Structures are given as structure tokens and as C-alpha cells.
């Protein structure tokens, strides 16, 4: 009896998992298939078999003057790489400052960061936009990169990681060897933090890559637009006149690189998700 | 490093404290410039009449609470309702499925194979650009898109269904996307929580003849309550920020009849039309709600007082008082 109910539940579990797997993969499968089909083929109807128009669609997207996709990719890469580098380096630095030193406002600083841990940036978007305007930074990429220096969630991850993996004895040994505090951080602490930095760099990169709300408020110059803004521009264009092959191709360009990186690093990323939420 | 001759026990001397301040300085500087100043000026603008009418700039003139009054007389409440409906429609299936999957994945009596594969697959949508995902759904679910083609070909539908012209269709698509993007993330978090439960509890339950259902409700659920609360509140905050998906799906219009317009879409409209007074008022209301939720997250995470745990962990070497 016991064994039998287990079996039934196993079968049920597999059925649900298959449905969910289908839901997760199906839309992306159609996306990739349709990015290889010409507009005429797509309009004729649904097909699960790829076409031969991949290169043609790619050329159409690249040569469309209204959606500067090449500069979009470049801008997105600059913003995401910059944001990931700043977020991980300075979060590790902040976490180290609070982990390794005792000073008067240490606890207050920690509590403060924990309080703003999940505060959305949207609430100050108005002031941010005005401030960037006053500083002459509208239509530059700086406002999308520099705020990453203060990333509370990345800090929290780094801090938890230090608690489990950075023995203070090591830091003290470095001090006795005459290593300066800053050098200790860069040469001894950072290498130990590598796994945490790698995981958080991926998340920070993806988050910046996908970010749409703030960039859309800051950037209006076509040459500075990032990929999500180009997608939005495509959406507001007159859709009936659109080459659907081109539409699917642009979406593919925006999301497939992330999927490829994810598949390569999935083991670490999934482990990182579990660590991020649970402090064990 | 004149201190280097100092002995081990002198290491936590006051001299090092300036390094602590120096190391945390960039974070607080960036926070101050890019978040605090903007927040203060956002609050400030909310008390002013300050907008653009054509090319003419009206204001800024102080108007007290007039913007807030206007806000609650506008469709703000309708958009708040939309946001809550969209959030719940995505969150309910998400939490049910995630709990189910977390319980199944961690149940050793069910020998589910390929757990790693399933985890990788269900987490993937979380990394997808939300705006691109919404654009994809727009293309797939449009009247002559592939989904309608397929449904008509299979004989399930007689004629194409206009998903984006029906309230249930448009809201359903937003909820489906939110569900797909977040259930994998939640499942992984809950799994980690379930695996953190002492296995002897489950063994004892099994020996006592508990059914899987009893084990789930009497042991698993109560034990993972802190994580459930965390998931719930962070999801609420995420729900309040809902923007990319409905914005792109409906081209910022919230069609049909603004039933998919969320709070942030409303804020975005004010920012674009440069109505700074009203944008400020929306932001402040949002800030107050988020601040309450932030406090809840803080107390939830600090039930076992992280910073005290640190001190214990580092023994006498660390602890600031």
C-alpha cells in the first residue's frame, strides 16, 4: 500500500514536471524557430521546424536604422559589465569593512543596509532623473553603472559568505606579515571571495542587462539606447507593417546570449540562488 | 604598519577602526548620491505644483497636500487594484506549485530522477529579460500569432482569440509570465529551506506512520515558515514594482481599458509627461508601503539576529559594541 501510493505520487510529480518543463521551454523554442523563418513563412502559420532565413533576418535587424542593434548590444554590454564589476567589488569591500573591523557605527551601518535590502529604486526614480539631468548625465551610460556601487543584496550575500569562509586568523596573519589593510583586502580576501563574486557578478550582470525602467528614463538618444529600450521602441512601432522575422530576431538577440551563459554555468547559478535566500 | 610588532591580542585596537569607515565609505557615498538625495527631492517635489503644459512649465509652486488629494481622486486606486490582482494571480499558482515541487524534490520516498535538470529548466525564465519576454508573448499571442494558429489548427478554437483585447486574457498573460519567471526561483529557495530541516524529524514522522500529507502540513510547513514569510514579502515588493511585462505587452496603455495599468506604469506616465508633482506623490505613497515591507523583511531575517551570530562566530576577535 505504502509503496503503491509512493508510485502514484511519483507519476503525478513527473506529469507536473513535464508540463512545467514544456511551459518553460516551449515559448523559447518557438522564438528560436521563428527567428529562422521569413516574415511570409511566419504569417502562414505555426511551425515547429526551423526555416532558413536566420541570416536574412539577422541582416535585416542589423541594417535597420531605427533600431541600432549593434550599438544597443555594445551599450548593454558596457552597462552590465560595469554594473557587475562595481557591485561585486564594492559590496565585497563594504562587507569586509563591517566584518573585519570594529568601530562605533558598525552595527548601525549594518542595520541600515539590512533595512534598505529590498527597497525598490523606483521610489526615487523622479529625483534620480532630475539629479542626473542637473549633473548633465542624461543620455550617458554613467547613471546606469555608478549606482551599482551601493548594492545591498550583493552586500548581504558577501557578508554571509565571509561569515562562513573567511577566517579572521588569515587577515591577522597578513597583518603580522606587514601587509597593508588595503592590500590584504585585494590580495587575500578577494581571492577567497572568488566563488561568491562569480555568482553575484552573474546576477548583477543579468539584472543590468534586463533593466528597463530606469534606462528608459535616462536615455533618449538612439546611439545610447540599451537592448530593452530598443525592444520597447519596436513594440511601439506600427506593428502591422513589421517584418515578424526581424521582431523574433531582435528578441533572440536580447535573450539567447543570457540563456547560453546560463546553460554553461547553471550548476553554480542554481546553487547561488539557494544560498542567496537562506542564511544557513 | 608600525603596529606590526604588536602582539596578537593587540590587534583589535582602535587604530584599525578608520579602515572600517574607509571600506564602507564608497557604498554609503553612492547610496547618498544616487538614492538618498533623489529620494529627498522626490518627497520635496510631491508638495509642489510642477508640470508641463505644452512647452510651458507650470510651477514649481508649493501646494501642500494637493497632489496627494488629487492622487487619491485619480485612477490611482484602480491601478493599485490592478497591481494587486495581477500580483495575486501570479503569486498563488507560484507558491502552490513551488511548495509542491519543493516537497516532492526533497521527499526521498519519491525517487525523482533528473532533479538538477528540472531545477535548471524551471529557473531559466527568471533570467530572461522581462521586456523581451513580454514582447515575445505579444507576438506569440497576437490575433494572427503562432499560438492562435496552433489552437485553430488543432480545432480547439474556431476562430483566433484576441487575448490582448479581453481583460481576462491580458491579465492572464501577465500573470502567466510572472508565474513562469518566478516559480523556479521560489522552488529553489523553498527546497533549500526544506533540506535545512533536521532529517530526524522526517524519520520520526515516518516511523510514527505519518502520511506524506500529514508530514507536509505538520512538519515541513511550520519549519519553513520564516522562508515562506520572506518569499511572500519579497514577492509583494516585486509585485509593487511590476512594470516591464504589462508596459511592453500593452505598449504602455494598459489595454483593455487600463485594466492592466500598474502603479509603476502610472508613475512612468507622469515622469514622461514631466508632471513632477504627481509623480512625487505616487513615489511617496509607494515608498511608505515599501518601507513597511522592508521593516517586515528586516525583522524576519533578524529573528536570530545575524550580527550577534557573527559575533559569536568570530569569538572575541570581532565584536563591536
Amino acid at each position: 500500500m505504502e509503496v503503491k501510493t509512493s508510485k502514484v505520487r511519483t507519476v503525478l510529480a513527473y506529469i507536473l514536471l513535464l508540463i512545467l518543463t514544456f511551459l518553460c521551454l516551449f515559448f523559447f523554442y518557438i522564438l528560436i524557430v521563428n527567428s529562422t523563418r521569413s516574415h511570409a513563412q511566419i504569417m502562414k502559420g505555426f511551425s515547429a521546424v526551423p526555416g532558413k532565413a536566420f541570416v536574412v533576418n539577422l541582416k535585416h535587424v542589423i541594417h535597420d536604422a531605427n533600431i541600432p542593434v549593434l550599438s544597443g548590444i555594445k551599450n548593454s554590454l558596457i552597462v552590465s559589465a560595469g554594473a557587475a564589476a562595481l557591485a561585486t567589488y564594492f559590496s565585497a569591500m563594504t562587507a569586509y569593512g563591517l566584518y573585519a573591523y570594529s568601530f562605533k557605527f558598525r552595527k548601525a551601518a549594518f542595520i541600515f543596509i539590512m533595512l534598505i535590502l529590498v527597497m525598490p529604486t523606483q521610489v526615487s526614480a523622479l529625483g534620480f532623473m532630475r539629479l542626473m539631468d542637473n549633473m548633465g548625465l542624461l543620455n550617458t551610460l554613467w547613471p546606469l553603472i555608478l549606482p551599482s556601487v551601493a548594492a545591498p543584496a550583493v552586500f548581504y550575500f558577501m557578508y554571509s559568505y565571509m561569515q562562513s569562509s573567511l577566517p579572521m586568523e588569515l587577515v591577522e596573519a597578513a597583518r603580522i606579515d606587514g601587509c597593508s589593510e588595503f592590500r590584504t583586502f585585494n590580495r587575500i580576501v578577494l581571492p577567497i571571495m572568488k566563488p561568491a563574486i562569480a555568482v553575484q557578478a552573474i546576477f548583477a550582470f543579468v539584472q543590468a542587462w534586463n533593466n528597463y525602467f530606469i534606462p528608459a528614463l535616462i536615455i533618449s538618444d538612439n546611439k545610447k539606447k540599451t537592448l530593452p529600450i530598443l525592444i520597447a521602441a519596436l513594440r511601439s512601432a506600427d506593428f502591422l507593417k513589421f517584418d515578424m522575422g526581424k521582431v523574433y530576431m531582435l528578441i533572440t538577440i536580447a535573450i539567447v546570449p543570457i540563456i547560453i551563459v546560463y546553460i554553461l554555468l547553471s550548476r553554480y547559478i542554481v546553487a547561488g540562488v539557494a544560498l542567496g535566500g537562506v542564511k544557513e | 604598519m608600525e603596529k606590526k610588532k604588536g602582539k596578537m591580542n593587540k590587534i583589535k585596537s582602535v587604530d584599525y577602526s578608520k579602515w572600517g569607515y574607509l571600506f564602507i565609505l564608497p557604498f554609503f557615498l553612492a547610496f547618498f548620491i544616487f538614492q538618498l538625495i533623489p529620494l529627498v527631492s522626490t518627497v520635496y517635489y510631491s508638495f509642489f505644483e510642477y508640470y508641463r503644459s505644452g512647452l510651458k512649465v507650470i510651477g514649481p509652486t508649493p501646494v501642500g497636500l494637493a497632489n496627494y488629494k488629487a492622487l487619491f481622486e485619480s485612477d490611482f486606486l484602480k491601478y493599485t487594484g490592478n497591481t494587486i490582482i495581477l500580483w495575486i494571480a501570479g503569486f498563488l499558482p507560484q507558491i502552490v506549485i513551488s511548495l509542491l515541487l519543493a516537497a516532492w524534490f526533497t521527499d526521498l520516498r519519491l525517487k525523482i530522477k533528473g532533479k538538477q535538470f528540472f531545477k535548471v529548466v524551471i529557473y531559466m525564465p527568471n533570467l530572461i529579460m522581462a521586456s523581451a519576454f513580454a514582447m515575445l508573448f505579444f507576438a506569440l499571442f497576437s490575433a494572427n500569432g503562432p499560438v492562435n494558429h496552433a489552437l485553430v489548427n488543432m480545432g480547439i478554437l474556431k476562430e483566433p482569440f484576441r487575448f490582448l483585447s479581453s481583460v481576462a486574457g491580458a491579465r492572464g498573460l501577465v500573470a502567466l509570465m510572472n508565474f513562469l519567471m518566478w516559480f523556479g526561483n521560489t522552488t529553489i529557495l523553498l527546497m533549500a529551506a526544506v533540506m535545512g530541516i533536521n532529517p530526524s524529524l522526517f524519520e520520526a514522522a515516518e516511523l510514527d506512520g505519518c502520511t506524506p500529507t500529514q508530514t507536509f502540513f505538520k512538519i515541513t510547513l511550520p519549519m519553513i515558515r520564516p522562508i515562506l514569510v520572506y518569499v511572500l514579502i519579497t514577492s509583494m515588493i516585486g509585485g509593487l514594482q511590476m512594470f516591464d511585462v504589462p508596459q511592453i505587452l500593452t505598449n504602455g496603455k494598459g489595454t483593455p481599458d487600463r485594466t492592466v495599468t500598474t502603479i509603476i506604469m502610472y508613475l512612468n506616465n507622469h515622469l514622461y509627461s514631466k508632471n513632477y508633482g504627481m509623480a512625487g506623490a505616487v513615489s511617496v505613497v509607494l515608498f511608505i508601503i515599501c518601507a513597511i515591507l522592508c521593516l517586515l523583511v528586516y525583522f524576519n531575517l533578524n529573528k536570530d539576529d545575524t550580527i550577534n551570530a557573527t559575533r559569536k562566530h568570530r569569538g572575541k576577535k570581532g565584536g563591536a559594541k
Side-chain angles (χ1 to χ4, degrees):
Chain A
M1 184 65 196
E2 167 76 28
V3 176
K4 207 176 159 194
T5 52
S6 275
K7 260 193 189 142
V8 172
R9 286 169 61 231
T10 310
V11 171
L12 276 178
Y14 276 121
I15 292 174
L16 181 68
L17 279 170
L18 284 178
I19 295 173
L20 291 170
T21 306
F22 174 79
L23 275 179
C24 287
L25 298 180
F26 175 67
F27 300 114
F28 302 111
Y29 179 69
I30 309 185
L31 167 67
I32 291 168
V33 167
N34 275 356
S35 72
T36 66
R37 300 167 76 211
S38 68
H39 179 72
Q41 283 174 322
I42 294 169
M43 295 319 280
K44 247 188 267 165
F46 171 78
S47 160
V49 192
K52 296 191 182 79
F54 185 83
V55 179
V56 177
N57 286 338
L58 191 61
K59 272 188 190 149
H60 283 174
V61 171
I62 290 173
H63 294 305
D64 188 329
N66 295 320
I67 26 171
V69 71
L70 289 180
S71 71
I73 295 172
K74 192 187 80 189
N75 294 332
S76 275
L77 279 176
I78 294 173
V79 167
S80 310
L86 292 187
T88 48
Y89 184 76
F90 285 103
S91 297
M93 189 182 232
T94 314
Y96 183 67
L98 290 180
Y99 175 74
Y101 302 98
S102 41
F103 51 94
K104 200 172 160 203
F105 294 109
R106 174 172 171 266
K107 190 163 185 188
F110 185 85
I111 290 176
F112 183 78
I113 300 180
M114 292 302 288
L115 276 172
I116 58 165
L117 188 62
V118 287
M119 181 56 84
T121 50
Q122 282 93 330
V123 297
S124 56
L126 163 62
F128 184 71
M129 195 178 141
R130 301 286 296 160
L131 181 69
M132 293 304 120
D133 194 2
N134 292 336
M135 290 166 82
L137 291 176
L138 283 190
N139 277 317
T140 66
L141 299 178
W142 294 113
L144 312 182
I145 301 174
L146 292 178
S148 304
V149 170
V154 185
F155 156 84
Y156 183 53
F157 188 92
M158 297 290 180
Y159 190 82
S160 312
Y161 193 85
M162 279 179 191
Q163 283 181 309
S164 63
S165 313
L166 179 67
M168 278 305 284
E169 287 77 9
L170 214 63
V171 175
E172 277 150 19
R175 280 177 185 162
I176 290 166
D177 288 346
C179 203
S180 80
E181 295 302 301
F182 204 65
R183 212 180 138 87
T184 307
F185 172 71
N186 280 324
R187 294 296 173 84
I188 294 173
V189 178
L190 279 188
I192 294 176
M193 299 298 291
K194 251 187 207 158
I197 291 175
V199 166
Q200 288 304 307
I202 297 167
F203 286 123
F205 185 95
V206 171
Q207 206 186 350
W209 179 267
N210 296 345
N211 196 5
Y212 168 54
F213 181 70
I214 297 284
L217 293 173
I218 299 290
I219 310 276
S220 53
D221 179 357
N222 241 352
K223 285 199 291 290
K224 296 285 178 188
K225 281 180 178 169
T226 56
L227 286 174
I229 312 178
L230 293 181
I231 299 240
L234 187 65
R235 174 65 181 90
S236 55
D238 187 356
F239 216 77
L240 291 173
K241 291 187 195 143
F242 241 90
D243 175 352
M244 287 310 289
K246 213 153 84 176
V247 171
Y248 285 109
M249 181 51 82
L250 184 64
I251 304 172
T252 305
I253 291 172
I255 66 184
V256 169
I258 298 284
I259 296 184
I260 292 172
V261 174
Y262 173 63
I263 291 170
L264 294 176
L265 302 174
S266 57
R267 190 168 285 274
Y268 306 97
I269 296 176
V270 169
V273 179
L275 277 178
V278 194
K279 30 168 203 68
E280 263 290 300
Chain B
M1 285 290 89
E2 321 80 67
K3 285 249 109 191
K4 81 176 164 189
K5 269 181 267 143
K7 295 286 167 296
M8 287 289 269
N9 55 358
K10 286 186 89 182
I11 270 161
K12 61 154 189 170
S13 62
V14 208
D15 293 312
Y16 282 113
S17 71
K18 72 159 194 232
W19 287 102
Y21 288 113
L22 210 61
F23 275 64
I24 67 169
L25 182 68
F27 182 101
F28 282 89
L29 208 61
F31 175 79
F32 186 77
I33 298 173
F34 296 113
Q35 288 179 51
L36 195 62
I37 295 178
L39 181 63
V40 171
S41 76
T42 301
V43 176
Y44 176 81
Y45 282 124
S46 75
F47 300 113
F48 283 82
E49 181 184 54
Y50 190 11
Y51 62 94
R52 237 164 245 214
S53 169
L55 286 174
K56 222 170 62 192
V57 179
I58 315 279
T61 5
V63 287
L65 292 173
N67 287 327
Y68 292 91
K69 195 162 164 278
L71 178 64
F72 285 101
E73 282 163 1
S74 73
D75 279 335
F76 178 68
L77 292 179
K78 172 179 171 166
Y79 303 144
T80 309
N82 289 341
T83 309
I84 293 172
I85 291 171
L86 291 173
W87 172 68
I88 291 179
F91 183 73
L92 276 185
Q94 179 196 322
I95 198 74
V96 170
I97 299 269
S98 298
L99 275 172
L100 206 56
L101 290 183
W104 281 344
F105 273 146
T106 51
D107 190 336
L108 295 177
R109 279 174 288 186
L110 310 179
K111 293 175 194 66
I112 294 177
K113 291 200 182 72
K115 276 181 210 171
Q116 184 62 26
F117 168 78
F118 286 122
K119 273 203 263 181
V120 168
V121 168
I122 63 176
Y123 183 68
M124 188 190 70
N126 192 255
L127 294 174
I128 299 301
M129 186 185 291
S131 46
F133 196 32
M135 185 72 191
L136 174 62
F137 263 53
F138 171 72
L140 294 180
F141 286 86
S142 62
N144 52 5
V147 172
N148 267 317
H149 275 301
L151 291 175
V152 171
N153 283 349
M154 286 190 286
I156 299 172
L157 288 180
K158 278 213 181 68
E159 52 186 45
F161 179 67
R162 294 181 172 276
F163 287 93
L164 291 163
S165 307
S166 97
V167 177
R171 283 180 172 169
L173 284 184
V174 173
L176 175 62
M177 273 183 271
N178 281 325
F179 164 74
L180 281 177
M181 284 194 291
W182 290 100
F183 85 100
N185 183 69
T186 308
T187 304
I188 292 172
L189 288 185
L190 295 180
M191 268 183 69
V194 175
M195 288 191 297
I197 302 174
N198 188 343
S200 60
L201 281 177
F202 291 116
E203 281 158 24
E206 202 181 335
L207 285 177
D208 289 344
C210 273
T211 64
T213 322
Q214 280 172 326
T215 315
F216 178 75
F217 283 104
K218 298 280 157 99
I219 296 177
T220 314
L221 266 193
M223 291 299 286
I224 63 169
R225 224 189 64 160
I227 303 295
L228 276 179
V229 174
Y230 175 82
V231 166
L232 174 74
I233 304 169
T234 48
S235 167
M236 271 182 182
I237 295 176
L240 283 173
Q241 298 177 62
M242 202 186 298
F243 174 70
D244 299 18
V245 167
Q247 173 81 10
I248 300 287
L249 191 68
T250 67
N251 197 15
K253 297 190 182 73
T255 44
D257 192 26
R258 293 171 293 129
T259 48
V260 204
T261 305
T262 63
I263 301 175
I264 299 284
M265 284 168 76
Y266 183 58
L267 171 65
N268 191 56
N269 290 341
H270 282 315
L271 288 175
Y272 262 96
S273 57
K274 302 205 188 303
N275 186 350
Y276 297 131
M278 284 300 278
V282 180
S283 306
V284 170
V285 173
L286 202 63
F287 171 73
I288 292 169
I289 304 171
C290 289
I292 296 169
L293 294 173
C294 277
L295 274 176
L296 291 174
V297 168
Y298 174 79
F299 287 118
N300 188 51
L301 281 180
N302 282 272
K303 280 239 177 65
D304 47 64
D305 203 353
T306 315
I307 202 146
N308 284 336
T310 324
R311 214 175 286 152
K312 214 184 296 164
H313 169 77
R314 292 193 293 148
K316 59 179 168 33
K317 277 167 224 130
K321 182 62 221 163

